[in-house]
Amino acid sequence: MSYTIKSEDRNMTETLRRIARDRLGRTIKASTAETPETRMVAVHDIRKRLKEMRGLIRLVRPDFDAYKQIDISLRDIGQQVSELRDIKVRCDTLGQLSNHLALPDPHLMDYLHHLTQTRDAAYDAAGDLMETVAKELTALRHSSTNWQLHHNGRKAIFPGLSATYATARDAMERARETRAPENFHDWRKHVKYHFYHARLLTPIWPDAMAAQVKAAESLGELLGKHHDLIVLGDEARSAGLNETAIKTLETGLKSQIAACEKQAFLDGARLLADTPEALTHRWSIWYRLWRHAK
C-alpha cells in the first residue's frame, strides 16, 4: 500500500515526500478528465486525495514548519472544485429524496430537472478550472521534494497523532452536548483524520491496526449518513415541496437521524475509549518494535 509508512524509508521525511508524490500524482492524473461524466468521477477522486494529503500532513504537523502554508494550498485547491462537488451532491440528494416520498411530487421533479441541467452545464464548462487545478497540484508536487521534518522517527508523528485524536474526542463530546448538525459534521472531519492516521501507521501491527482502521472508517461513514439525512430535509424545503410531502419526509428522517446518533455515540465511545496519552503510548511501543524488527 502506498498510503502507509514503510520500513524501507530511511526516515519520516522520506515517507512524507514519497506519499505526497504518489497522492498528488494521482490527483493530477484525475484532473485531466475531459468529459462531464469523467469529470464527475475525477472531482470526487481529487477531493478524496486532497483529504488524504491533509490527513498526512496533519500527522506530522507539530514537526513540519511548512504545514500551515501547505494545508492552506490543499484547502484552496479543494475549494476550487467544491462548487462542482456541491451541485452533484444536490442532484444525488434530490434523487434520494424522491425515493423517500410515497408519491412523486411535481415540484421535486421540476427542481431535480433544473439541478441536473445546471450540473451538466457546470461540468461541461469546467475545462479551464481543471487545468488550473492541475497546474497548482503540479507545483505543489514539485515543492514536496523539499519538504523537511525536524525528527526522523517517532517524534515526527506521535505528537500530531495525539493532538488529532484528542480533537476527535472533544468533537464527539460537543456533538453529544449540543446535538447541532455542524458539530456532528466537525466530529466526522476529525474521525476521518484519525482514520487516515491509522491507515498510515498500519504496518506497526497490521492485525491490530486493521480493526482501528475499520472502526474509524465505519464511524466516518455513519456520520456521513447523518449529514446526508440532515441535507435531505434542507433540500426538501429548498425544492418547494408541499407541506404534506415535507411532513411525511421529516417524520421518516427524524427516526433515522436519531438511530444514527445513537449508534454513532456507541461506536465513537469504543473507537475513542483511550485517552490520547494511552493510545499514543501503546502505538509508540508498536512503532518501536516494528522499526527494530526490520
Side-chain angles (χ1 to χ4, degrees):
M1 295 176 62
S2 56
Y3 194 73
T4 62
I5 60 175
K6 292 185 177 180
S7 58
E8 308 93 83
D9 294 338
R10 292 172 297 175
N11 51 55
M12 283 307 303
T13 291
E14 186 171 299
T15 298
L16 174 67
R17 293 174 179 177
R18 171 180 57 78
I19 296 176
R21 184 169 61 251
D22 173 77
R23 257 40 198 179
L24 291 172
R26 293 172 188 242
T27 314
I28 292 166
K29 183 177 180 180
S31 66
T32 61
E34 296 182 347
T35 68
E37 293 76 15
T38 57
R39 285 172 182 162
M40 290 180 199
V41 176
V43 167
H44 174 77
D45 193 55
I46 288 169
R47 290 181 57 79
K48 177 181 177 181
R49 302 307 176 192
L50 291 175
K51 289 175 183 177
E52 288 177 335
M53 280 297 303
R54 295 185 75 181
L56 170 67
I57 64 171
R58 188 170 289 266
L59 180 63
V60 297
R61 178 178 183 174
D63 210 59
F64 189 23
D65 290 343
Y67 166 82
K68 186 173 182 180
Q69 176 186 348
I70 294 167
D71 188 57
I72 290 173
S73 295
L74 292 167
R75 182 202 64 194
D76 289 349
I77 293 171
Q79 287 179 344
Q80 290 184 60
V81 296
S82 63
E83 187 172 341
L84 290 173
R85 184 279 314 266
D86 290 347
I87 186 63
K88 182 178 184 302
V89 168
R90 292 181 75 190
C91 286
D92 294 344
T93 300
L94 262 293
Q96 296 174 42
L97 180 53
S98 65
N99 293 331
H100 275 77
L101 295 174
L103 296 173
D105 187 294
H107 295 290
L108 174 61
M109 295 301 105
D110 290 345
Y111 187 45
L112 180 56
H113 180 67
H114 167 71
L115 282 181
T116 301
Q117 289 185 318
T118 303
R119 177 201 65 192
D120 292 347
Y123 276 90
D124 187 51
D128 290 344
L129 172 62
M130 299 295 274
E131 184 176 341
T132 297
V133 167
K135 288 180 180 178
E136 293 182 10
L137 288 167
T138 300
L140 190 60
R141 188 173 189 263
H142 178 73
S143 72
S144 70
T145 61
N146 297 317
W147 293 356
Q148 184 69 47
L149 303 178
H150 291 293
H151 297 93
N152 292 327
R154 286 180 296 163
K155 291 182 179 180
I157 54 178
F158 283 99
L161 170 71
S162 180
T164 300
Y165 179 81
T167 302
R169 295 177 93 230
D170 291 342
M172 178 174 67
E173 292 310 312
R174 281 195 300 275
R176 191 194 307 277
E177 291 171 6
T178 66
R179 303 296 171 124
E182 59 270 22
N183 288 334
F184 277 94
H185 187 63
D186 188 57
W187 181 23
R188 178 195 180 197
K189 178 175 67 176
H190 294 292
V191 166
K192 292 290 286 185
Y193 283 137
H194 180 65
F195 162 66
Y196 294 132
H197 293 176
R199 280 180 58 194
L200 287 163
L201 295 174
T202 291
I204 65 177
W205 189 357
D207 290 343
M209 295 299 292
Q212 190 80 5
V213 170
K214 183 178 180 180
E217 182 176 30
S218 177
L219 178 56
E221 290 175 352
L222 183 60
L223 292 171
K225 179 182 178 181
H226 179 275
H227 177 70
D228 290 345
L229 292 170
I230 297 293
V231 172
L232 270 175
D234 293 341
E235 285 292 350
R237 289 178 282 274
S238 298
L241 303 186
N242 65 63
E243 186 176 344
T244 300
I246 290 179
K247 286 184 177 179
T248 299
L249 176 70
E250 289 183 340
T251 298
L253 291 182
K254 185 176 180 180
S255 62
Q256 291 185 61
I257 289 170
C260 276
E261 292 183 2
K262 181 178 179 180
Q263 189 64 48
F265 287 127
L266 175 59
D267 292 350
R270 290 167 173 161
L271 176 70
L272 305 171
D274 281 325
T275 64
E277 295 78 13
L279 180 91
T280 304
H281 177 70
R282 184 169 64 256
W283 288 17
S284 180
I285 292 173
W286 296 351
Y287 175 89
R288 186 171 64 250
L289 293 170
W290 168 73
R291 291 299 298 179
H292 289 170
K294 70 172 187 174

